[in-house]
Structures are given as structure tokens and as C-alpha cells.
Amino acid sequence: MTCCGLCQYETNKLVRIQSVRLGSLKWSLNGAILLFICLLMLWNRKYQQFDLVVSSVTTKVKGVAQIQLPEVGEQVWDVVDYSGPGQEKNSFFVMTNVLVTQGQKQGKCAEVPSSGKLCVSDKDCQKGASGQQSNGVQTGSCVKFGILKKTCEVSAWCPIEARQHLPRPALLAAAENFTVLIKNNIRFPAFNFTRRNILPWMNDSYLKSCRRRTDSLCPIFRLGDVVREAGESFTNMSVEGGVIGIQIKWDCNLDYLRQHCLPRYSFRRLDEKESNKTLYPGLNFRFAKYNLVNGVEQRTLYKAFGIRFDVMVFGQAGKFSFIYLIIYIGSTLSYYALTTLLLDWLIGTSCYSAEVGQNYSERKVESVLDKEQCILCVSYVDEDNLRMVKKSKKKILQEVKPISVQPRKEDTGHMQVALCLLQPRADGTDTLQPLWPNVRPGVRPAWCSCGCCAPCAQPHEELCCRRTDGACITSSPVFEQLVVQRPLLEAVLLYQDPLSSGGDGIRTASLRHCAYRQYISWRFGTLPAEANAVVPSCCVRRIREEYPSPQGHYGGFTPTSSFKQGKDD
Ligand code: ZN
Ligand code: ZN
């Protein structure tokens, strides 16, 4: 009955190998994979759904310091003075060093040599010009700068800020002892879970007394501690300034003990710290304070150096999710294929096959060949192995190189039957004497080594029973007994078809074919899959001589995969 693809189901055919070694190896590998999967699942909490943190940060810096400003004198600076103008999101700035230029007002003055160029006369200066580095717009005249140099005059805030050396140690080195309170509110939207770094049990007295050194949860940080934990020295860093990152990490497992969802603080420097290797090291910016003196606007210019602290919040929360667990389990199933891959490779190796005396790949894989790529199987009486040869239309079969050599496997079942059938015939007449003359002179072709072969019509029939010169297999008494003798062939045919007429009723052609099969079973044993056994020319000749076709017509060798053996008609 033919059936469409809709009402069919194809499944794989498996080969079960009964082996303690392979079985235990399989279960050990599978166990190791399962263990790995479980460890990975527990370690990375693969059974959980994760959500990233959403957060807001506010900071409050506290501390005052007395500083000695050059040309200004002693001043006390509080948070308003040293925080600089403006607050950025998630960061705060603390000024640690400053250069002050006092009493600037709009006017004309000589450009500083570092920002403009030196001149000799007014011709060197261009009215209205201004460079990228200049502090003002050129007026077109060349004026004295100091005693020896002359520079172009500019309209600018005069006097122009001169290049000065930075005060060392920093003017506001005392900022080391300032403190900052960081308030961080977080939320995991997927789980509607909120939390802040100032924990419910923290009261006012705790916050006033807690220290980062002893309490890792304390939300108040001394700036010196922050810089020190970032691996820097506050004294060095305060001269030119820099950027420090304050990282707050939340890693929460919401499946149990939600109060264990706590922040972890860490610190590191974010900018390039090698000040002598970097062109523009540190962090600085300018701002000015304006005032009116006798109705004229004046300003005090500050070049501020300091440390910016960027607060970065990141983290995730996980909660058990059946769907994520299923997805994880599904994604790990493919790991078990590694076992199959490894074991298949192992049993495919020639080492293992030789060790256990089994060629599993032969049993596992059924190869199908095109009819064109017919593989012939050749057995020589002076060789143990079977040779696999590609059928060639031009080359003599005796001379074609084999594509592979396989050990010969005895077809024990057939041999037992043949020997049983031989037994009753051992009545004294069977003396195991060769009945055929060994060598027939005059007809030997060039490729024949045994001297009994006849010239053939097809190159793939040109095959001798042996590789090297010697006696022909047809001269063996066993050949006579097993392949040629009529009583045995008749008995074999009757054995195969018990209800046939037997005796003289058997056709000569059937006996001839039976003789070929006898020879193939005897000399080839169990044939490898898809191979076609070729009966040597001398044996064909002998069998045809014994059981000739009445018309003298033979079909020659035709490979047929269904019989797995050559057929000669
Ligand atoms: Zn020969
Ligand atoms: Zn021969």
C-alpha cells in the first residue's frame, strides 16, 4: 500500500552496543554534564528572571577649611566656595587648588607671550585678529611686555591671567577630611521592589558616628578614604585634580531574605593618572566673581583645580521564574550531544575497533553506492584479506589498485551446512584427489599467475585466483569437493528449496550458479556491504566446463547488489 507523507512517521534506527566500558563512560559523561549544568544554574542563578536597576543619586558634601590665597590672604572656604558653580547629575565637585587673577576689567593690555606671538613693530600685529589661544582681540599695535619682550596689544579683561606655577601642596589639601553623604534610591521595575542605601535601621546617631573603615554600609564617606581606596594619594591628586568613580553595586536575590539586598561600594580613578605622561592632566575649569568698583565692572578670575566624584549605580535583581528555568533547561539539552559525539568518535577510531575486535561503524552506517561506482570484491588464494576494488572499464581487474583492504570474515553458517552435506558422501570414493590437470599450456594470458585462466571478454573479468605465481585453486581437492562435485551442489540446492524435484531434474544452469555461490561463500565468507564478489577466471572456466550452457552462451559478470555477489550466467 502506498501512502502519502502525511500518514507516515520516520524515526531513526539505533545500534545498541552491549559494552560495560561504553555504558559506564556514557553515564559518567552524562553525569558530569548534569553536574556542570546544575552548578552553572545555581552559581549564575539561571532559574531566575533578572531586572536591571533604575536609580537616582543625591549627594551632600560637608566640611570647611582655612586657606591662604596668594594676593588675597587668609580665607575660610565652606561648601559653597569649593563646590564650584553648578551641580551635575550623579556627581559632585570639590575644589582642591586654585589660581586667582584679581581686579580684571575691560581694557587694552599686552598679550602674554605664551598665548600670542612676540613682535618687533606694529607691522607684526593685525588689527581685529585673534587666535585660538589668545586672551583678546588684537588692536594692531606692538607694546612692551615686561622689560625685554614686546607683544601685540589686545582688547581684553586686563590684566591678563599669567601662567603661574600651581601651589604645591594644594591650597585646599584639607579637603581630604571633608565628608560626603550619598543618598541612593533604587528600583527594580519588573518586581516593583524599591530600596535605598540608607537602610531602615540607620538612625541619626548612627549616621553621625559611622565610619567607612569599620562599616562597609556607612553612606557617609571621607573624601580622603574614597581616594585612598581608589588606589591614589589625595595629596598628589589634589594639586591638578582628577575624576574618581564611586561605584554602587546592587546584586539582589529576591527569592529569599530581601533585607540581604545591600549596596556594595567600590572606588576607582576614572581619568588618566600619569600626570607627566598626559598632555592636559587633571581636571580644571575657570569661573569668575564680578563686582563694581567706582561704577566700573571688575572681576576676580578663578582657575579651579579639583576632584570630581562620579557616582555610578549598577546592579540586578533576580527572582525565580518557571519560564526562565524551562528555557535554561532547554538550552542545556544540547550539551548531552557531546557524549554521543565523543563515544561515536571513540568507537569510530581504528584503535578502539582493533582493541575490541569489532568494527562498529560498519554496523552503524549503511552505505549506498551508485550503480556506476560498483565496488568489486576480490579474494586471492595466497592472501588473507579481501580487496575492495572500483570497477574499471579499461583496466584489467587483476591490476587495479584496491581502495581498501578488509579482513575476511568466515561465513560459518554456510560452511557448516556445506560440511554436513559432505559427510554422508565420505564413502571411500572421495579421496580428495585433484581431478583437473594443474596447468593447461598454450592458453595462459599475461595477467594469470596460476596458469589455468582463459582470456576474457571484459577487463573486469580478467582476474586470476592468485597474486603470485603458483598452483591454481582449481587444482585443490577441496575445490572439487566443495564447488564442482554434483552431489554436493544438488544437496545444497535441495537444502535451499526442499520441495524441488532434485536429482536429474535440476537444470545445469542452477548447478552452475550454485557452484559460483559455493565458491564465493568458501573464499569470501561474509561479504562486506555493497561489494560484489568476483569469481576468478580459472574457477569460472572450470565450473563452465563442468556445467556448460547447452548453447555455449554465458552472460558474463553482472554485479547485483541484491545478492551481494557476482552472478555469471
Ligand atoms: Zn590464473
Ligand atoms: Zn587459478
Side-chain angles (χ1 to χ4, degrees), residues 270-317:
L270 299 178
D271 64 327
E272 183 66 62
K273 71 172 179 181
E274 304 287 340
S275 90
N276 50 352
K277 287 182 192 163
T278 322
L279 257 183
Y280 298 101
L283 171 69
N284 66 70
F285 61 90
R286 287 181 178 84
F287 66 94
K289 289 174 184 170
Y290 298 86
N291 54 339
L292 281 173
V293 177
N294 302 329
V296 180
E297 189 181 33
Q298 287 196 359
R299 73 173 192 188
T300 307
L301 180 69
Y302 294 86
K303 187 179 182 185
F305 296 80
I307 304 172
R308 198 181 75 209
F309 294 88
D310 291 350
V311 185
M312 293 169 285
V313 184
F314 54 98
Q316 60 176 12

Side-chain angles (χ1 to χ4, degrees), residues 205-323:
S205 62
Y206 168 83
L207 289 178
K208 274 177 185 159
S209 62
C210 75
R211 287 286 169 273
R212 166 81 189 154
R213 280 170 191 265
T214 52
D215 183 355
S216 65
L217 287 176
C218 182
I220 296 176
F221 304 90
R222 191 176 151 269
L223 297 188
D225 292 345
V226 170
V227 174
R228 185 176 47 78
E229 279 195 45
E232 299 291 328
S233 143
F234 196 92
T235 317
N236 290 341
M237 203 176 167
S238 58
V239 175
E240 284 173 326
V243 185
I244 294 276
I246 300 176
Q247 297 164 327
I248 307 178
K249 189 178 181 187
W250 296 84
D251 192 3
C252 299
N253 187 350
L254 301 185
D255 281 340
Y256 69 104
L257 298 176
R258 291 186 171 210
Q259 53 270 46
H260 280 214
C261 180
L262 297 172
R264 273 193 288 132
Y265 304 95
S266 60
F267 313 93
R268 67 188 182 92
R269 186 163 184 175
L270 299 178
D271 64 327
E272 183 66 62
K273 71 172 179 181
E274 304 287 340
S275 90
N276 50 352
K277 287 182 192 163
T278 322
L279 257 183
Y280 298 101
L283 171 69
N284 66 70
F285 61 90
R286 287 181 178 84
F287 66 94
K289 289 174 184 170
Y290 298 86
N291 54 339
L292 281 173
V293 177
N294 302 329
V296 180
E297 189 181 33
Q298 287 196 359
R299 73 173 192 188
T300 307
L301 180 69
Y302 294 86
K303 187 179 182 185
F305 296 80
I307 304 172
R308 198 181 75 209
F309 294 88
D310 291 350
V311 185
M312 293 169 285
V313 184
F314 54 98
Q316 60 176 12
K319 199 174 183 183
F320 177 78
S321 160
F322 191 67
I323 293 170

Side-chain angles (χ1 to χ4, degrees), residues 450 452-453 464-465 472-474 538:
C450 68
C452 296
C453 298
C464 186
C465 64
C472 182
I473 189 164
T474 55
C538 47

Side-chain angles (χ1 to χ4, degrees), residues 374-378 380 383 386-392 395-405 463 467:
C374 176
I375 302 294
L376 303 179
C377 187
V378 174
Y380 293 111
E383 274 187 3
L386 299 180
R387 288 176 178 228
M388 297 295 147
V389 182
K390 246 187 204 169
K391 185 180 173 184
S392 165
K395 260 191 159 177
I396 296 170
L397 183 54
Q398 180 84 4
E399 288 157 11
V400 178
K401 277 191 180 165
I403 48 171
S404 72
V405 176
L463 179 72
R467 286 296 293 171

Side-chain angles (χ1 to χ4, degrees), residues 97 235 288 328 402 459 533:
N97 216 354
T235 317
Y328 174 71

